[in-house]
Amino acid sequence: MNFQNKVVVVTGGTRGIGLETVRTFLEYGAKVILFGSRKETVINAINELEKEGKKAAGYYPNLNDYEEVLKTIQEIVTQYGKIDILINNAGISANKKIEETTSEEFTSIMNLNVEGVFNVSKAVIPFMKKENSGVILNTSSMVSFYGQPSGVGYPASKFAVNGITKSLARELAPFHIRVNAVAPGIINTDMVSSLPPEMIKPLIDKIPLNRMGTPRDIANAFLFLASDMASYITGVILPVDGAARN
Ligand code: NAD
């Protein structure tokens, strides 16, 4: 796999799955631009990569402000000439019971996890159409197949991500733009380590591969789906979960 001269944008690229994805694409020769929610976290991520001898650029547009996203994407295209691969990875989760969840909390998950994917994709797609090629990859979740026992907004948002993935795959196929998603199971990142151990342990016990996934497991799936080896794969939600499906 060779990503020399490929320009990759990764949202939610400052930590966890996103940062590991940035790192992986850099290792395979791509030019990578990471997005984060704040200037400070973007700078920290770039500095962390720099210590490893890797060079990435970063921005922190408000993903719910389409005009701001578009301005950022236009700046990137002016500087790099194109965007080959977009990875919509930024996301937040939830675990409260429905009675304890406010409408504001529900809306804020949908805003980032769904409208954020819509806004960045909408801004990037015209530039991909111009090149008559491109790859859009979304971070879904295994809860997008079977839900979860609390935090209803989170699976709701990931079902929507699957809907966006399958629909855009059809809409954009005539322009040779492929659209797929990766559905991680339980991956060892901040998002998971903030959950109570009594919630995590029974979940690991049910994983046939008997371990949590690593951010690199997900980054490798993105790498494959972004590569020409996946040139006939579009509209797919790929489970990467150690067979923990139920
Ligand atoms: P994380 O919390 O470590 O990272 C989340 C990323 O999203 C960060 O880079 C952060 O900057 C960004 N982000 C958060 N709020 C934002 C906002 N308001 N605006 C812009 N960016 C924002 O989480 P992670 O575990 O690496 O999750 C990454 C993706 O993977 C998410 O979409 C998540 O739903 C999905 N996922 C994670 C797991 C898991 O087990 N960790 C499982 C399934 C799916």
Side-chain angles (χ1 to χ4, degrees):
M1 285 197 232
N2 187 348
F3 288 88
Q4 297 285 340
N5 300 319
K6 296 286 185 194
V7 181
V8 186
V9 170
V10 181
T11 74
T14 58
R15 57 174 197 257
I17 291 171
L19 179 58
E20 191 66 9
T21 300
V22 170
R23 191 177 271 123
T24 305
F25 276 88
L26 287 171
E27 285 167 11
Y28 280 80
K31 297 186 175 83
V32 186
I33 301 98
L34 63 88
F35 284 7
S37 52
R38 288 183 296 125
K39 183 177 181 180
E40 190 194 344
T41 52
V42 167
I43 291 173
N44 287 347
I46 290 173
N47 288 344
E48 192 176 327
L49 292 164
E50 212 164 271
K51 279 189 209 137
E52 301 165 16
K54 300 181 177 75
K55 195 170 170 293
Y59 290 87
Y60 43 96
N62 175 356
L63 301 185
N64 291 119
D65 181 337
Y66 174 70
E67 292 306 322
E68 200 178 315
V69 169
L70 180 60
K71 196 168 148 267
T72 306
I73 295 298
Q74 279 166 338
E75 258 180 68
I76 293 168
V77 174
T78 302
Q79 195 176 339
Y80 295 86
K82 59 179 180 161
I83 294 171
D84 299 289
I85 298 157
L86 165 64
I87 304 183
N88 287 306
N89 169 74
I92 46 174
S93 72
N95 57 31
K96 287 190 201 166
K97 295 288 178 200
I98 188 161
E99 300 95 318
E100 294 150 15
T101 305
T102 63
S103 335
E104 288 75 22
E105 286 167 335
F106 182 81
T107 304
S108 79
I109 292 182
M110 299 306 265
N111 283 351
L112 179 64
N113 294 13
V114 184
E115 197 202 9
V117 173
F118 169 82
N119 282 339
V120 187
S121 302
K122 182 176 164 178
V124 168
I125 284 164
F127 297 106
M128 289 186 169
K129 281 186 174 174
K130 228 189 226 167
E131 300 293 320
N132 202 26
S133 75
V135 176
I136 298 175
L137 300 173
N138 299 321
T139 308
S140 182
S141 166
M142 286 311 291
V143 304
S144 76
F145 295 116
Y146 48 78
Q148 63 183 20
S150 58
V152 68
Y154 182 63
S157 73
K158 296 300 188 179
F159 272 76
V161 166
N162 292 2
I164 292 174
T165 304
K166 291 181 183 189
S167 300
L168 286 184
R170 287 166 179 254
E171 182 173 331
L172 301 175
F175 306 96
H176 306 105
I177 300 168
R178 295 186 297 104
V179 187
N180 291 297
V182 170
I186 304 172
I187 308 302
N188 200 1
T189 66
D190 293 350
M191 183 180 270
V192 167
S193 56
S194 69
L195 296 173
E198 64 272 19
M199 197 163 161
I200 298 178
K201 173 138 187 350
L203 297 173
I204 294 177
D205 289 345
K206 280 203 286 182
I207 302 172
L209 282 182
N210 201 28
R211 65 168 176 89
M212 275 197 252
T214 64
R216 185 57 69 128
D217 289 324
I218 304 305
N220 285 339
F222 280 135
L223 201 69
F224 165 67
L225 288 172
S227 77
D228 290 343
M229 291 174 85
S231 61
Y232 200 53
I233 301 177
T234 192
V236 155
I237 319 296
L238 178 68
V240 181
D241 70 336
R245 299 174 274 285
N246 64 2

